[in-house]
Amino acid sequence: MRVNRILLSSALVVVALVIQVSVLARLHLPGAVPDLLLLTVLGLALVYGHVGGALVGFAAGLLADLAPPADHAAGRYALVLCVIGYLAGLVKPETGHLKSATGPMVVVVAAAVGSTLLYAGVGALVGDTAARHVGLGGLLFTAALYDLLLAPFVVPGVMALARRAENDPLAESTSAAKATDISSGWLSGGTGLRIGSQRNGLRVKAARARMARAGRIKGVKRL
């Protein structure tokens, strides 16, 4: 990952985790807790793709596993967010811009439900049956509802920041050079001629013109 991606992702993940632990977790809402960290990973994955989404998700989940007051095995949430970030990155828009809000909302609901199920499944494997006592159905519904209500205020902003960080001057100059190469190739492909051969033809014509002019000058001197 690029340095600007790492810096931006680290800052957003830390801010999201602090807000989630210090504010959202203390609201004592019925059912699940709004997962601001999950929404941040989704926003970054929709810009960085599946590889970047998996890396950001793993790092964010591991940080959440180690941050107090974590009461579960370390690596459990890291696995969940790694898988969610990878899957969300697979539906990254090709142009980098979203045409409508329907797609991201579907991704948010699927991620909220999938992360809850995956977290409960991993917990069942390690002997944690807390989801059964709370009620898995209620957790799924409230997780999807809270994340869906919070998503319009988080995901678009995270995506905008990620896209802005990607447009660094070095990338812009490189893309400009590529655009020049592409335009040159398009011109040569559209005319059926090579740019180099055109330049050589112009040089030959200029040389012939100079020779003809020199011949005229010599003829005048002989007269």
Side-chain angles (χ1 to χ4, degrees):
M1 296 179 68
R2 299 178 182 179
V3 176
N4 53 353
R5 286 189 178 187
I6 296 175
L7 294 177
L8 178 64
S9 302
S10 302
L12 291 177
V13 165
V14 170
V15 171
L17 182 61
V18 170
I19 295 176
Q20 182 169 330
V21 173
S22 60
V23 178
L24 298 179
R26 297 184 179 183
L27 295 178
H28 300 292
L29 297 174
V33 176
D35 201 338
L36 184 61
L37 195 61
L38 173 64
L39 297 178
T40 303
V41 172
L42 290 179
L44 294 174
L46 290 175
V47 177
Y48 296 155
H50 59 282
V51 176
L55 294 175
V56 172
F58 179 80
L62 186 60
L63 185 62
D65 288 331
L66 300 177
D71 56 352
H72 55 269
R76 181 176 172 184
Y77 201 48
L79 173 62
V80 173
L81 287 187
C82 181
V83 174
I84 296 299
Y86 178 84
L87 295 178
L90 293 177
V91 297
K92 169 190 173 183
E94 295 182 358
T95 59
H97 297 276
L98 300 174
K99 297 180 179 179
S100 65
T102 304
M105 294 299 102
V106 173
V107 172
V108 168
V109 173
V113 174
S115 61
T116 304
L117 289 175
L118 187 58
Y119 186 84
V122 175
L125 293 177
V126 297
D128 185 3
T129 59
R132 298 180 181 178
H133 301 290
V134 176
L136 186 57
L139 285 177
L140 292 175
F141 176 77
T142 53
L145 179 62
Y146 295 155
D147 292 347
L148 189 60
L149 294 176
L150 191 61
F153 304 98
V154 179
V155 177
V158 171
M159 294 183 66
L161 290 175
R163 285 196 298 265
R164 181 174 297 180
E166 287 292 285
N167 295 329
D168 55 322
L170 181 60
E172 289 180 358
S173 61
T174 304
S175 61
K178 290 182 178 179
T180 304
D181 295 338
I182 293 172
S183 62
S184 300
W186 178 79
L187 288 174
S188 61
T191 57
L193 300 175
R194 294 183 180 179
I195 302 299
S197 62
Q198 291 179 350
R199 292 178 179 175
N200 292 332
L202 293 176
R203 290 175 182 175
V204 172
K205 290 180 180 180
R208 290 178 180 176
R210 286 195 297 269
M211 291 175 63
R213 186 180 303 172
R216 294 195 196 101
I217 294 173
K218 289 180 180 179
V220 170
K221 287 182 178 180
R222 287 177 182 177
L223 293 175

